[in-house]
């Protein structure tokens, strides 16, 4: 039984808080030889290695052929000591072969305004998960930004029950850089993506997987890449191949071409809009085997690289997927074509132009097109004028069009005037009108004003209020300069709107962040939502407020009320979600408590409605009673009720209470009692 492994080992899946490795003296347990089998070996020299044991595969250079798994088997990695002038290794080769005994799963969760997400499967392989937040363009659905999350710091995972608890609530949308308000608080979509391995049962799985990736810089400006993956599960084989070519002049000017090919069964694609209580996708469809190709080209041109004194940037993309192509995040049943780009250029010292367009055409499916042009004119040193126009189209050629679908065209235009006193205040006002609509598209007229006022050298107040056909919207905030090297900001935003994607109707969020300057050329920042002003929108990591009135106390709150629109079917989810938290830390005491609430009314593709109520309670305590004794504990409880019946209900409860004893005079003596 030398090659036997134990993927069904219960001990490895129990939360470390629930068994002995939680030490009373802040000790930790590190598994230096991670292996599910009876044998582990690793030979390494510098950054090169060959190993047999547990390892992670993360081939992400080709977006059409992603390979991300946590496996048990053989892994070889080599990278050359020489580098390019940009700092990359000239040659990188990685390969693996494994008999995993587990099955991979990839699940996508739309942000709910909360922190609790239930995975589709249970009994996960410990350490196999890859968790990240993806920001996706609200028009094309393509990933524009990615933030990888770290276990313990950004999330806590229960491998046995299959759930993830984020350290902060995650919003449904993030801000974009467009002037036309397609909703009161317009923004792109935020998704939590989780890739992991699980054991479907206690029977041995007859599977073999192998693959590899290679990257080679021919010189400082040309790179070739190859990716391959083969999975054999029983009598079923699937293959995924990819190749990519990168040609660059600088970090602003480059060209990248990617191609991929998939062979075998169409992989499942699962997504959830309610935190994991219900999943939608292709998992339950009998799709059989299919072969398909995919092609993507991206071009970025920084004008300063080609013209003396040139400014601005042009970026263009095109993506083509054959029907039946199957890769993580890119599963399509019919031919799909997407293309678009952005054009950002300071025309003169006072005129700035931004243009963005996206189009998506799916055979026997939904066709969408959206384009916006924004122009900013700095009239004087104090006066500014901005204007923009946006046109979008929706047409559904599906054999069966959902009753919730909205089709037609709409054109909106906006004018905004801003004034900066160059002293304590600035202000702006805008007016937006709908110039043209067809079929069942609604008008989107809007009027609003906003501004900012500096109370003193450290405190700034800003805000915006507006009203239109799609409801009222408002945002209020503060910015506080604690010291010369540290900056804190806090904002509240409220919106009531309707749009083709993202939140609409009434929505509010509280915003907090901090930024510390380490030197004149470096800084570090931690924030829950990126600052949104009249001229700049940004990325949110999680919606909420965190207020520290003293060094000991931290208070938090978040609220989100609005309607999510499904990008494909236009089905609505009316959501009310929020929460509050409080934490205290000083010397021997650490305490935190929080509560989250969500109520969803969801429209089904057939027009029927269902509702769900979800609650989450979080509590944590650590108390150093004396130099020898410590008390630790936590209690988390969640429950959810659905109008669809008990089959769709869910929740969990976990509680820990323990005493740790470590005499200060005896370093090697440690005792722990727990219930």
């Amino acid at each position: 039984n030398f090659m036997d492994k134990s993927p069904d080992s219960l001990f490895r899946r129990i939360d470390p808080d629930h068994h002995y490795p939680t030490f009373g003296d802040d000790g930790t347990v590190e598994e230096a030889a991670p292996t599910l089998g009876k044998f582990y070996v690793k030979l390494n020299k510098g950054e090169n290695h060959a190993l047999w044991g547990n390892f992670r595969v993360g081939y992400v250079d080709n977006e059409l052929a992603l390979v991300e798994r946590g496996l048990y088997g053989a892994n070889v990695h080599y990278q050359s000591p020489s580098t390019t002038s940009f700092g990359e290794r000239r040659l990188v080769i990685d390969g693996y072969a494994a008999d995993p005994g587990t099955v991979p799963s990839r699940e996508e969760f739309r942000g709910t305004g909360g922190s609790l997400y239930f995975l589709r499967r249970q009994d996960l392989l410990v350490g196999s998960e890859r968790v990240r937040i993806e920001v996706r363009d609200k028009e094309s659905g393509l990933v524009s930004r990615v933030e990888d999350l770290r276990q313990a710091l950004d999330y806590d995972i229960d491998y046995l029950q299959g759930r993830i608890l984020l350290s902060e609530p995650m919003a449904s949308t993030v801000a974009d850089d467009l002037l036309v308000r397609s909703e009161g608080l317009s923004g792109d979509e935020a998704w939590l993506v989780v890739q992991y391995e699980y054991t479907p049962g206690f029977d041995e799985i007859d599977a073999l997987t192998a693959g590899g990736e290679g990257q080679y810089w021919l010189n400082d400006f040309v790179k070739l890449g190859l990716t391959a993956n083969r999975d054999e599960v029983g009598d079923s084989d699937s293959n995924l191949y990819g190749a990519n070519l990168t040609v660059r002049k600088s970090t602003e000017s480059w060209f990248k071409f990617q191609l991929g090919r998939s062979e075998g069964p169409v992989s499942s694609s699962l997504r959830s809009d309610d935190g994991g209580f219900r999943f939608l996708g292709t998992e339950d469809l009998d799709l059989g085997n299919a072969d398909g190709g995919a092609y993507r080209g991206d071009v970025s041109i920084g004008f300063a690289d080609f013209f003396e004194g040139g400014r601005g940037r042009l970026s263009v993309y095109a993506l083509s997927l054959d029907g039946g192509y199957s890769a993580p995040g890119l599963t399509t049943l019919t031919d799909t074509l997407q293309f678009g780009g952005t054009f950002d250029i300071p025309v003169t010292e006072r005129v700035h132009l931004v243009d963005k367009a996206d189009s998506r055409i799916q055979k026997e499916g939904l066709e969408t097109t959206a384009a916006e042009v924004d122009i900013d004119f700095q009239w004087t040193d104090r006066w500014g004028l901005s204007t923009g126009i946006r046109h979008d189209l929706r047409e559904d050629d599906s054999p069966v069009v959902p009753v919730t679908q909205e089709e037609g065209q709409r054109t909106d235009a906006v004018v905004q005037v801003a004034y900066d006193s160059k002293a304590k205040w600035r202000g702006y006002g805008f007016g937006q009108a709908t110039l043209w609509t067809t079929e069942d598209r609604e008008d989107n007229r809007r009027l609003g004003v906003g501004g900012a006022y500096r109370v003193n050298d450290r405190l700034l107040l800003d805000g915006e209020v507006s009203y239109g056909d799609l409801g009222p919207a408002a945002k209020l905030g503060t910015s506080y300069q604690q010291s010369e090297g540290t900056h804190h900001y806090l904002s509240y935003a409220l919106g009531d709107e309707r749009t083709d994607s993202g939140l609409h109707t009434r929505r509010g969020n509280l915003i907090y962040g901090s930024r510390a300057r380490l030197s004149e050329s470096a800084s570090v920042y931690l924030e829950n939502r990126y600052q949104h002003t009249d001229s700049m929108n940004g990325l949110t990591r999680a919606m909420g407020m965190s207020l520290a009135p003293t060094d000991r106390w931290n208070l938090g709150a978040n609220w989100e009320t609005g309607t999510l629109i499904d990008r494909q079917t236009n089905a609505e989810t009316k959501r009310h979600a929020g929460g509050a938290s409080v934490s205290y830390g000083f010397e021997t005491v650490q305490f935190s408590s929080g509560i989250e609430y969500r109520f969803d009314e969801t429209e089904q593709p057939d027009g029927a409605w269902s509702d769900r109520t979800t609650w989450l309670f979080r509590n944590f305590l650590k108390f150093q009673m004396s130099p020898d004794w410590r008390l630790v504990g936590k209690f988390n409880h969640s429950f959810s009720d659905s109008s669809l019946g008990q089959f769709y209900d869910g929740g969990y409860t976990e509680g820990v209470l323990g005493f740790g004893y470590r005499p200060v005079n005896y370093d090697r003596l440690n005792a722990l009692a727990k219930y």
Side-chain angles (χ1 to χ4, degrees):
N1 300 324
F2 181 72
M3 298 297 293
D4 286 355
K5 50 192 174 299
S6 54
D8 56 344
S9 173
L10 178 65
F11 178 80
R12 294 177 181 272
R13 284 163 173 72
I14 297 180
D15 190 322
D17 288 340
H18 298 171
H19 59 83
Y20 183 71
T22 300
F23 288 92
D25 61 351
D26 287 331
T28 59
V29 172
E30 179 180 353
E31 194 170 14
T35 177
L36 292 177
K38 303 172 182 176
F39 179 66
Y40 175 88
V41 61
K42 182 176 183 180
L43 308 175
N44 67 284
K45 180 179 181 181
E47 298 182 4
N48 306 319
H49 69 255
L51 72 84
W52 181 278
N54 283 26
F55 58 91
R56 285 187 179 183
V57 175
Y59 302 157
V60 298
D61 194 51
N62 190 325
E63 299 168 79
L64 304 179
L66 297 177
V67 181
E68 298 177 287
R69 297 193 65 178
L71 299 167
Y72 171 78
N75 175 234
V76 177
H77 179 86
Y78 171 79
Q79 56 189 44
S80 65
S82 60
T83 62
T84 67
S85 60
F86 292 83
E88 302 100 342
R89 299 288 183 175
R90 287 200 176 274
L91 175 63
V92 177
I93 299 176
D94 192 276
Y96 69 91
D99 180 5
T102 56
V103 176
S105 181
R106 186 181 191 271
E107 295 155 18
E108 303 175 350
F109 302 86
R110 181 71 186 272
T112 62
S115 58
L116 178 61
Y117 297 85
F118 291 96
L119 303 176
R120 173 74 166 179
R121 306 294 182 180
Q122 297 182 337
D123 194 20
L124 280 57
L125 177 64
V126 173
S128 66
E129 82 280 0
R130 295 176 65 95
V131 184
R132 62 175 176 265
I133 293 177
E134 292 184 354
V135 178
R136 301 179 182 177
D137 187 274
K138 67 182 180 183
E139 305 298 344
S140 67
L142 298 179
V143 177
S144 59
R145 286 161 287 181
V146 174
E147 180 178 353
D148 292 319
L149 303 186
R150 298 161 296 174
Q151 187 179 2
L153 295 178
D154 299 316
Y155 70 91
D156 180 54
I157 183 170
D158 188 302
Y159 293 103
L160 185 64
Q161 297 187 355
R163 67 171 182 267
I164 286 183
L165 190 64
L166 301 179
S167 59
E168 297 285 349
M170 192 180 86
S172 305
T173 61
V174 304
D176 55 26
D177 297 318
L178 302 178
L179 185 62
V180 176
R181 278 78 169 174
S182 57
E183 58 173 323
L185 296 171
S186 185
D188 292 333
E189 300 177 353
W191 291 81
L192 179 71
V193 180
V194 185
Q195 174 92 29
Y196 62 89
E197 304 281 324
Y198 71 96
T199 305
F202 292 105
D203 295 334
E204 184 177 354
I205 301 175
D206 182 15
L208 177 65
T209 181
E213 180 185 54
Q215 302 176 30
Y216 179 61
W217 286 96
L218 302 179
N219 50 44
D220 286 348
F221 308 103
V222 180
K223 182 179 74 169
L224 297 175
L226 296 173
T227 304
N229 180 74
R230 179 178 178 83
D231 289 316
E232 298 180 10
V233 181
D235 298 329
S236 176
D237 297 344
S238 62
N239 302 300
L240 181 63
Y241 307 106
N244 55 277
L245 168 68
T246 301
V247 180
R248 69 180 174 194
K249 180 178 178 63
S250 69
T251 56
E252 291 290 319
S253 301
W254 47 267
F255 164 76
K256 184 174 183 179
F257 177 74
Q258 306 171 78
L259 60 87
R261 180 166 183 81
S262 67
E263 301 172 351
V266 178
S267 63
S268 62
S269 177
L270 294 173
R271 69 177 180 88
S272 175
D273 295 327
D274 60 5
F277 292 99
R278 300 185 66 191
F279 285 87
L280 303 174
T282 62
E283 184 187 52
D284 298 328
L285 301 178
D286 185 11
L287 303 175
N289 293 341
D291 297 343
Y295 312 90
R296 174 166 178 167
D298 294 83
V299 178
S300 175
I301 299 175
F303 298 121
D305 293 329
F306 298 92
F307 308 101
E308 184 176 355
R311 297 182 299 172
R313 182 177 178 182
L314 170 68
S315 60
V316 180
Y317 73 89
L319 171 66
S320 175
L321 303 174
D322 294 341
Y325 185 76
S326 180
L330 289 173
T331 297
T332 180
L333 304 181
T334 59
D335 295 349
T336 302
L337 174 65
Q338 294 184 239
F339 55 90
T342 59
F343 180 65
D344 188 331
I345 182 173
V347 181
T348 67
E349 293 294 332
R350 295 184 178 273
V351 179
H352 191 175
L353 172 68
V354 177
D355 182 15
K356 183 179 187 296
D358 297 280
S359 182
R360 185 178 189 273
I361 304 172
Q362 183 173 9
K363 184 179 179 180
E364 298 182 349
L366 181 65
E367 176 184 348
T368 61
T369 299
E372 179 170 338
V373 179
D374 296 334
I375 301 176
D376 179 60
F377 174 56
Q378 193 64 36
W379 191 4
T380 68
D381 291 341
R382 298 191 178 188
W383 287 95
L385 175 67
S386 302
T387 183
I389 186 169
R390 170 187 167 90
H391 177 78
D392 64 81
L393 170 147
R394 293 177 61 90
E395 297 291 343
D396 197 338
D397 296 326
S398 302
V400 179
V401 178
V403 297
T404 58
Q405 189 62 274
E406 182 179 293
E407 298 182 81
Q409 303 181 53
R410 184 173 73 193
T411 302
D412 299 324
V414 63
V415 175
Q416 180 169 293
V417 178
Y419 177 80
D420 190 344
S421 69
K422 302 297 182 179
K424 289 190 174 183
W425 67 277
R426 61 178 175 83
Y428 62 91
F430 69 89
Q432 182 172 301
T434 297
L435 306 180
W436 180 49
T437 62
T438 65
E439 300 184 50
D440 55 357
R441 301 299 300 276
E442 295 185 67
D443 288 343
N444 185 25
R445 294 167 294 187
R446 179 167 294 276
L447 292 173
V449 295
Y453 178 76
R454 181 169 295 281
V455 179
N456 52 45
D457 292 340
R458 293 190 174 186
L459 183 61
L460 178 72
L461 305 178
D462 62 4
E464 177 185 297
V465 294
S466 65
Y467 187 82
D469 293 318
L470 306 181
K475 60 180 180 181
L476 302 171
T478 63
S479 180
Y480 180 71
Q481 184 75 24
Q482 184 180 31
S483 65
E484 182 180 357
T486 304
H487 179 72
H488 293 276
Y489 48 90
L490 168 68
S491 297
Y492 176 77
L494 169 67
D496 191 340
E497 200 57 53
R498 182 184 175 92
T499 180
D500 297 327
S501 64
L503 275 172
H504 72 177
T505 45
R506 193 175 176 83
R507 182 172 77 132
N509 22 295
L510 291 155
I511 306 159
Y512 166 82
S514 63
R515 183 183 300 271
R517 188 173 70 248
L518 302 180
S519 65
E520 293 301 325
S521 61
S523 65
V524 62
Y525 62 90
L526 170 68
E527 60 189 1
N528 290 336
R529 192 179 184 95
Y530 199 72
Q531 183 107 10
H532 181 156
T533 68
D534 61 318
S535 61
M536 178 183 70
N537 300 319
L539 173 66
T540 179
R541 177 174 168 189
M543 183 192 69
M545 174 198 71
S546 180
L547 173 65
T550 70
D551 293 337
R552 304 180 184 182
W553 287 94
N554 282 277
L555 308 176
N558 67 283
W559 184 257
E560 180 173 301
T561 302
T563 302
L564 293 169
I565 302 297
D566 188 282
R567 192 160 15 96
Q568 291 292 324
T569 66
N570 214 62
E572 299 182 358
T573 297
K574 299 179 180 179
R575 172 166 294 165
H576 305 267
S581 63
V582 57
S583 64
Y584 175 85
F586 181 69
E587 294 182 348
T588 61
V589 178
Q590 293 184 26
F591 166 78
S592 66
S593 182
I595 182 174
E596 295 180 13
Y597 164 80
R598 187 174 87 247
F599 178 74
D600 288 347
E601 293 180 279
T602 305
E603 185 180 19
Q604 309 300 324
D606 60 1
W609 287 83
S610 64
D611 62 72
R612 173 181 298 280
T613 303
T614 304
W615 288 89
L616 170 66
F617 303 89
R618 308 172 62 172
N619 301 277
F620 171 79
L621 171 66
K622 181 187 291 186
F623 176 45
Q624 187 76 38
M625 296 179 291
S626 71
D628 296 337
W629 285 93
R630 171 174 307 185
L631 171 68
V632 293
K634 71 175 180 180
F635 179 77
N636 297 328
H637 176 62
S638 175
F639 62 91
S640 180
D641 298 322
S642 172
S643 62
L644 296 176
Q646 294 183 355
F647 180 78
Y648 295 99
D649 295 343
Y652 81 100
T653 302
E654 65 173 349
V656 176
L657 180 63
F659 293 90
Y661 176 64
R662 179 181 184 272
V664 295
N665 296 326
Y666 299 93
D667 293 339
R668 296 188 177 183
L669 178 61
N670 185 84
L672 179 70
K674 273 200 171 184
Y675 171 73

